[in-house]
Structures are given as C-alpha cells and as structure tokens.
Amino acid sequence: MKKVITILPALVLSLMLFEAGEALSGESESMTGITNAHNDVRSALNIPELIWSDKIADVAQDWASHLAKNNKCKMQHRPRKGRDSRHFGENIYWASALKWSDGRRDVQRISPTTVVNSWAIEVEDYDYSRNSCQTGKVCGHYTQLVWKDSAQLGCGMAACSDKGQIWVCNYDPPGNHIGRRPY
C-alpha cells in the first residue's frame, strides 16, 4: 500500500503535466517568436498574453497546407460550417515569391514578426471610439490580434508551388464579435 501512495503523487503530477501540455509546448522552429510578437502588441494595451497551443497550431498548419495545395495559395478563411470548419479566430498572411530579372523565383525570408506586424499596422485604420475600420480600410486582423478574450494561439505556414507562402494563425476563443470592442 505504501508504494501506491508513493506512486500516486507522481501519477497525479504526470496527469497535470499532460493536461497542461499545450501551454508547456513550444513553437516550431519556423514559428519561433510569433507568440512574442503577438504579445508585444498586446502588452502595449495591457491585454493578457496569448499562450501557444500545439493543438491550435496543428489546425492552422492544416489550413495553410490546404490553401497551398488545393486553393493555389489564395487567401481564404475557413468556412463557418462543413467539413473544414473550426471555431477559432483566424488571421491569414500571404507573400509572393521573390522574382529575379532572369526569371528565377525564390521563397522570401519572412519572419514571424513581419507577419504579425502586417496585422498590427492596421491599428492605423481602426477607430476605437466608433469600434470600426476607417471607410474602405481593413482592420479585422488587428482587432483579432488584440482581442482581449483570446487566450491561446497556434500558427502554421506552407510554401506554395510558385514559391510564395501562406501563413495562418488561429485564436481561441475567437474574437471579432459584432458590436463588441476588442479590449
């Protein structure tokens, strides 16, 4: 009986670590720094930090790969219903290939910070007092990025056949609820 008592705390600790595994897991090498880039933007507004989720990253990677393979790398959000639907917030980024004068094409070196900054710059087009974008402008990537209630994120990236690339970040819980301010 004494062995069971000795093993039980270790078993409980192991189960706790397994349950918390998503929060303890790290970004993949290609995503290194993307959580910090998100949190840098959020910290300026005193918004709680996001935590990386491997589970959500798998969903984001699946969608990025789908867009690269089946959608000719065109940006398209996941459908709200059907086989591919998921209930996460989502930001998408696309970059073309580098095109050289001799016709060569190469994959651009895009950093996770560049991706996040492309969404964060939309703050210039967001009017907090009206809770809307400036006329003719886009700001929904920014508002999802700083959605106060979002707690976890995961991101993925896929190379396109033309050497472009598509990045997807998903957020849980999702943001951009009509009529609600992001923070």
Side-chain angles (χ1 to χ4, degrees):
M1 189 67 157
K2 191 170 188 173
K3 286 185 181 181
V4 172
I5 293 171
T6 306
I7 294 172
L8 190 56
L11 178 61
V12 170
L13 179 61
S14 294
L15 289 174
M16 287 173 31
L17 289 174
F18 179 76
E19 285 291 316
E22 286 183 28
L24 298 176
S25 297
E27 302 162 334
S28 66
E29 186 177 333
S30 64
M31 292 296 130
T32 299
I34 203 159
T35 304
N36 285 340
H38 277 80
N39 289 332
D40 287 346
V41 175
R42 293 168 69 88
S43 70
L45 299 167
N46 293 317
I47 297 170
E49 289 188 346
L50 294 170
I51 297 170
W52 181 263
S53 165
D54 288 338
K55 176 184 167 190
I56 297 171
D58 288 345
V59 172
Q61 184 60 58
D62 285 347
W63 191 243
S65 296
H66 167 81
L67 293 175
K69 182 179 178 185
N70 303 319
N71 205 43
K72 298 182 181 172
C73 251
K74 292 179 185 167
M75 293 193 301
Q76 177 183 351
H77 286 290
R78 277 185 182 274
R80 294 185 188 269
K81 295 182 180 180
R83 185 179 66 90
D84 290 324
S85 69
R86 296 289 186 275
H87 300 287
F88 295 119
E90 186 170 75
N91 279 344
I92 302 176
Y93 174 90
W94 173 82
S96 67
L98 284 173
K99 299 172 188 171
W100 300 96
S101 59
D102 64 2
R104 285 182 299 128
R105 298 168 77 91
D106 288 320
V107 175
Q108 287 192 58
R109 295 189 71 132
I110 303 291
S111 72
T113 301
T114 298
V115 172
V116 174
N117 287 344
S118 77
W119 300 325
I121 200 164
E122 291 178 6
V123 66
E124 297 171 3
D125 300 319
Y126 177 64
D127 183 339
Y128 185 83
S129 64
R130 291 186 351 203
N131 191 32
S132 64
C133 303
Q134 300 295 333
T135 303
K137 300 291 184 171
V138 174
C139 65
H141 303 102
Y142 167 73
T143 55
Q144 175 58 76
L145 173 66
V146 297
W147 197 264
K148 184 178 183 177
D149 295 338
S150 293
Q152 296 183 330
L153 86 151
C155 304
M157 186 274 290
C160 308
S161 61
D162 67 354
K163 298 202 177 180
Q165 55 194 288
I166 194 150
W167 296 63
V168 176
C169 285
N170 288 139
Y171 306 84
D172 189 42
N176 287 347
H177 298 284
I178 296 172
R180 288 185 51 201
R181 283 184 166 74
Y183 48 89

